[in-house]
Amino acid sequence: MKIAILSQDSSLYSTKRLREAGETRGHQMRVINYLRCYMNITSHQPTVVYNGNLLENFDAIIPRIGASRTFYGTAVVRQFEVMGVFSANESHAISRSRDKLHCLQILAREGIGLPVTGFAHATEDIHGLIETVGGAPLVIKLLEGTQGIGVVLAETYQAAKSVIEAFRGLNANILVQEFIKEAKGADIRCFVVNNKVVASMKRQGAEGEFRSNLHRGGKAEKIKLTPEERSTAVRAAKAMGLKIAGVDMLRSNHGPVVMEVNSSPGLEGIEKYTEVDVASKIIEFLEKNVKEIATD
Ligand code: ADP
Ligand code: MG
């Protein structure tokens, strides 16, 4: 097959591994910087042009769209879809997953376990908002944050009130969430490919840190999931319409609760800690699906 990896940087670990895994399995792999593509969107012959050349005859694409590049990145993915090229994740599912609130609303509708969560922009009723999630301690999140930045634990009612007021002053959208204390600073990342968890790890925050992000100094290890955790991860990815997803959850007293679903989950941590060749699982998934389409 001829497969394009849509990525801004061919030296990134995930991009390198996907290329390597594809080549090992006998495919022609090409890394395309989607920001440098332009498109002809007319309906009779839609095209994508890159470095002055038409991108033709691709069987599949693997989108690796950066969080800050969702708008243009998903437009390029959509263009390939219009051209009939199979995409590992569909453009509309990627767009949806980038909005934390929309993501939680979709999961809630499917009855998937979530931390009790409130959402606000500029409410006068801070007391009511805090009570929505059962009072302090609680977690307050900036809607646009990643890598743990913009996630605050307010241990008391007064602290929660001050933080919410401060964020309101900044005109930011915030999520207010019940604090899952029993998770003890750990969360679980499940890597889902085509409705199956192919690898999972537990990330533990540094001493005294409730955020388990590896970027915040967390450590990780391979973990065995309970059947409930496994099915929750698969259901969450399915609800989002993602064939490739990183589902993050916490172990709460009332079962697994999903925090977020990532549509371009990194391969570096998960491959390193679990020793699973996740890149090859993604290529195998493409082989199976492109073949299925061809024989339809
Ligand atoms: P980001 O998108 O910045 O990674 P997250 O929502 O994933 O933000 O939160 C970062 C980390 O903080 C999580 O990985 C988890 O360890 C911790 N955390 C987030 N929400 C809660 C919560 N409601 N209860 C307990 N810990 C939480
Ligand atoms: Mg996170």
Side-chain angles (χ1 to χ4, degrees):
M1 287 196 292
K2 200 169 151 191
I3 303 172
I5 305 167
L6 303 187
S7 164
Q8 277 181 76
D9 185 352
S10 56
S11 69
L12 294 173
Y13 178 93
S14 303
T15 308
K16 274 197 305 205
R17 284 284 301 123
L18 286 164
R19 170 187 238 163
E20 206 174 87
E23 284 171 354
T24 305
R25 298 183 63 84
H27 303 297
Q28 203 181 321
M29 305 297 292
R30 185 149 173 220
V31 178
I32 305 283
N33 181 347
Y34 54 91
L35 290 178
R36 300 228 180 117
C37 292
Y38 68 87
M39 303 169 264
N40 177 343
I41 58 171
T42 47
S43 59
H44 60 285
Q45 211 196 1
T47 54
V48 180
V49 180
Y50 182 61
N51 285 344
N53 299 314
L54 276 183
L55 294 179
E56 290 177 306
N57 307 325
F58 280 96
D59 298 293
I61 56 170
I62 306 175
R64 302 286 314 173
I65 308 300
S68 59
R69 300 298 186 182
T70 305
F71 175 76
Y72 198 71
T74 53
V76 175
V77 175
R78 207 176 311 120
Q79 183 76 356
F80 276 106
E81 288 165 358
V82 173
M83 290 158 60
V85 179
F86 182 80
S87 181
N89 270 335
E90 287 180 13
S91 55
H92 69 269
I94 300 171
S95 309
R96 227 164 28 188
S97 74
R98 290 292 158 83
D99 177 339
K100 276 189 193 190
L101 175 65
H102 192 182
C103 182
L104 292 177
Q105 287 173 318
I106 290 170
L107 299 177
R109 203 174 55 196
E110 292 297 316
I112 291 166
L114 303 171
V116 178
T117 304
F119 176 69
H121 180 75
T123 179
E124 296 291 314
D125 184 15
I126 291 176
H127 177 75
L129 183 62
I130 293 174
E131 288 310 313
T132 308
V133 299
L138 56 85
V139 175
I140 301 158
K141 301 184 187 187
L142 281 175
L143 203 58
E144 286 83 20
T146 57
Q147 305 183 345
I149 298 165
V151 179
V152 181
L153 171 61
E155 312 234 22
T156 64
Y157 180 89
Q158 273 313 320
K161 192 161 173 275
S162 313
V163 173
I164 293 170
E165 279 169 355
F167 282 159
R168 190 170 73 177
L170 293 172
N171 214 11
N173 288 313
I174 55 167
L175 284 179
V176 176
Q177 211 161 57
E178 113 187 71
F179 176 50
I180 310 293
K181 190 168 179 231
E182 59 273 25
K184 299 194 183 79
D187 77 349
I188 296 172
R189 158 61 58 97
C190 304
F191 204 109
V192 180
V193 179
N194 199 19
N195 304 323
K196 256 206 187 121
V197 178
V198 298
S200 51
M201 63 177 171
K202 178 178 164 178
R203 298 177 293 203
Q204 179 74 55
E207 187 71 33
E209 172 62 73
F210 82 101
R211 296 168 300 177
S212 58
N213 301 68
L214 300 179
H215 287 100
R216 306 262 72 73
K219 295 267 181 311
E221 62 185 10
K222 188 170 151 178
I223 191 180
K224 197 165 158 35
L225 300 176
T226 67
E228 192 190 6
E229 287 162 352
R230 192 171 287 276
S231 74
T232 300
V234 171
R235 282 171 64 218
K238 241 189 208 166
M240 295 300 299
L242 291 169
K243 291 298 191 179
I244 297 175
V247 181
D248 293 342
M249 55 177 80
L250 297 169
R251 282 186 165 163
S252 84
N253 288 337
H254 44 100
V257 289
V258 174
M259 280 184 304
E260 54 180 351
V261 183
N262 192 325
S263 57
S264 287
L267 298 185
E268 189 163 12
I270 197 88
E271 288 198 333
K272 177 171 158 201
Y273 293 109
T274 66
E275 291 175 6
V276 175
D277 180 354
V278 176
S280 293
K281 305 269 185 201
I282 293 173
I283 304 293
E284 282 167 34
F285 155 64
L286 294 180
E287 288 167 3
K288 192 156 168 285
N289 278 267
V290 173
K291 225 185 290 160
E292 276 172 10
I293 288 173
T295 54
D296 265 355

